[in-house]
């Protein structure tokens, strides 16, 4: 069974006839998605599973094979859409402990997603004395977090490798012609990969942005693209009542009930980074003009021991979307003990996956009884195909949700505000006036 929507734990929270009434808004959103209005041209992700660049996929596989052959570690520099998808895939397909597993592929470290010197220091220490390759990913080529990390990592590599060796080890994923990074890569002779013009960062995991690091981890990137294509074909076939559109419709109906927070829950810790990727996708796409569902996430049952109380019993502004994996990779059976000290002797020999399933069901029933609707999205297993299906499902659902809400899913004007302040405060030339204003503001805050 492919990725699918299970509605029964959500439907009881919707007045009869409401889903049918929302159809006209779905149709309007669908028209926007088909026409990508507003002069925006960021819909390259939509047909990507059909018309992706075959030559570039082969180039990615060749680069991944080279990195696997000559490196013990791949450092990936990128922030936001330029790292979350790849990291989510590595953890989903392998493990959150990927770097500690016994394997014949390189460790993969993600940096350049903060300004933390401690974090960067720890990664560089872990790379000391090991053969290293670098994939720097930035569509704009000017993102400060990534650019600063690039200086550090390149310096680190220059201590070990000469310019010619660096050309075998540094791979740059950026705009096909614009930006400082592209110019620098061309000048130094680094191999480059393209972030297509019409694909924004958070919709880019199925391009070289995600596919190169994922391929280095040993995953089959063609199977990922195949999964995305299967999902696309199925959504097209199902037409206006497809699962992604229905998910978008439920989200919207819950939002109108005053449920302004969506909790994406999973029962597999390997899905945790997928929830981070999902948060960026929905948060950056929807949260604008004073509108939008706040995307939050929980890993269960872990977080039932932290914020479970709130979900069950706190302010009723929530709905949950639970992602449920049907098959586990390893069958772990609960061991027996010669003394039943914990009173759990009845579980001896039971599969842990069955216990997890019952915990899932118990949680679902408890939360719905507590007044929290639950939308369920099922997938079969942690493999490349289902990763591709999930990603494409969420892309479509997200774009539709945003259009239903009346916002542009493909821009992110709000992320500039912190950057302007930061540039002013770190003394970037051209920001002198803002710096003065900010320092005055800070001073007045202290006076009060
Ligand atoms: O989704 C987005 O557009 C952003 O999250 C970007 O991916 C992020 O800001 C990084 O940008 P860039 O790839 O230009 O460095």
């Amino acid at each position: 069974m492919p990725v699918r929507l299970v509605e029964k734990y959500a439907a009881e929270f919707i007045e009869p006839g409401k889903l049918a009434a929302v159809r006209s808004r779905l149709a309007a959103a669908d028209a926007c998605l088909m026409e990508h209005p507003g002069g925006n041209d960021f819909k390259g992700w939509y047909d990507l599973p059909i018309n992706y660049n075959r030559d570039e996929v082969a180039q990615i596989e060749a680069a991944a094979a080279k990195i696997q052959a000559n490196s013990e570690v791949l450092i990936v520099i990128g922030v936001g859409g330029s790292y979350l998808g790849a990291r989510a895939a590595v953890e989903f397909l392998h493990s959150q402990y990927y770097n500690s597993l016994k394997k014949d592929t390189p460790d993969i470290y993600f940096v350049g997603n903060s300004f933390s010197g401690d974090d960067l220091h720890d990664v560089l220490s872990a790379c000391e004395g090991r053969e290293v390759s670098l994939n720097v990913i930035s569509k704009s080529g000017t993102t400060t977090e990534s650019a600063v990390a690039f200086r550090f990592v390149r310096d680190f590599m220059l201590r070990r490798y000469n310019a010619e060796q660096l050309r075998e080890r540094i791979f740059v994923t950026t705009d096909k012609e614009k930006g400082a990074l592209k110019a620098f890569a061309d000048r130094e002779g680094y191999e480059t990969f393209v972030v297509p013009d019409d694909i924004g960062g958070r919709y880019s995991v199925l391009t070289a942005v995600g596919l190169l690091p994922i391929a280095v981890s040993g995953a089959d990137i063609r199977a990922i693209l195949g999964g995305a294509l299967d999902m696309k074909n199925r959504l097209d076939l199902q037409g206006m009542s497809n699962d992604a559109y229905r998910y978008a419709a439920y989200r919207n109906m819950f939002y109108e009930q005053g449920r302004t927070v969506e909790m994406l829950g999973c029962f597999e810790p390997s899905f945790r980074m997928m929830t981070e990727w999902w948060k960026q996708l929905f948060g950056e796409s929807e949260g604008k003009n004073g509108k939008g569902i706040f995307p939050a996430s929980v890993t269960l049952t872990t977080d039932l021991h932290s914020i479970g109380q709130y979900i069950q019993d706190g302010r009723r502004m929530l709905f949950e979307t639970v992602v449920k994996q049907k098959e586990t990779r390893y069958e772990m059976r609960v061991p027996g003990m010669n003394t039943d000290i914990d009173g759990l002797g009845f579980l001896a020999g039971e599969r842990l996956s069955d216990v997890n399933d019952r915990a899932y069901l118990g949680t679902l029933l408890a939360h719905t009884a507590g007044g929290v609707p639950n939308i369920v999205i099922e997938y079969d297993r942690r493999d490349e195909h289902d990763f591709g299906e999930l990603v494409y499902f969420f892309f479509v659902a997200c774009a539709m949700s945003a259009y239903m809400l009346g916002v542009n899913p493909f821009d992110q004007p709000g992320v500039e505000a912190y950057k302007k302040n930061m540039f002013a405060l770190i003394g970037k030339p051209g920001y002198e006036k803002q710096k003065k204003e900010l320092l005055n503001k800070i001073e007045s805050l202290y006076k009060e």
Side-chain angles (χ1 to χ4, degrees), residues 379-394:
Y379 65 97
D380 288 336
R381 60 190 76 82
R382 291 200 285 136
D383 66 8
E384 288 89 339
H385 177 272
D386 281 11
F387 176 79
E389 284 218 359
L390 282 164
V391 160
Y392 196 81
F393 172 86
F394 282 126

Side-chain angles (χ1 to χ4, degrees), residues 222-298:
R222 288 175 197 260
I224 291 177
L225 291 162
L229 180 60
D230 283 350
M231 176 53 79
K232 178 169 175 42
N233 287 339
R234 207 161 55 251
L235 296 180
D236 288 350
L237 204 69
Q238 290 170 344
M240 286 304 294
S241 58
N242 74 47
D243 278 2
Y245 283 22
R246 291 176 82 82
Y247 172 44
Y250 275 107
R251 297 181 82 251
N252 241 266
M253 290 186 289
F254 289 140
Y255 182 64
E256 281 172 4
Q257 291 175 354
R259 299 178 190 276
T260 53
V261 178
E262 177 179 17
M263 228 18 133
L264 186 72
C266 59
F267 281 76
E268 292 293 335
S270 56
F271 202 88
R272 196 183 64 80
M273 279 308 296
M274 287 287 286
T275 70
E276 297 300 320
W277 168 84
W278 171 92
K279 281 195 273 196
Q280 189 212 355
L281 178 66
F282 280 81
E284 258 186 11
S285 298
E286 276 192 333
K288 47 198 80 155
N289 306 339
K291 300 187 207 175
I293 296 168
F294 183 82
S297 65
V298 279

Side-chain angles (χ1 to χ4, degrees), residues 196-218:
D197 284 345
D198 57 357
I199 299 184
R202 57 191 176 276
Y203 294 84
S204 70
V205 59
L206 300 178
T207 72
V209 170
L211 296 183
L212 179 55
I214 297 171
V216 171
S217 79

Side-chain angles (χ1 to χ4, degrees), residues 7 144 167 186 240 252 271 274 326 331 369:
E7 297 170 52
T144 317
R167 281 195 276 280
D186 286 348
M240 286 304 294
N252 241 266
F271 202 88
M274 287 287 286
K326 296 302 273 186
E331 192 180 278

Side-chain angles (χ1 to χ4, degrees), residues 129-167:
R130 306 174 77 195
E131 299 292 350
V132 175
S133 284
L134 168 65
N135 181 200
V136 51
I137 309 171
S138 176
K139 180 172 179 170
S140 60
T142 54
T143 302
T144 317
E145 285 87 341
S146 319
V148 168
F150 183 52
R151 285 176 175 247
F152 278 99
V153 178
R154 192 167 165 274
D155 256 18
F156 174 84
M157 292 179 77
L158 271 169
R159 274 184 255 139
R160 172 143 195 194
Y161 304 113
N162 62 32
E164 195 182 324
Q165 290 169 319
L166 282 189
R167 281 195 276 280

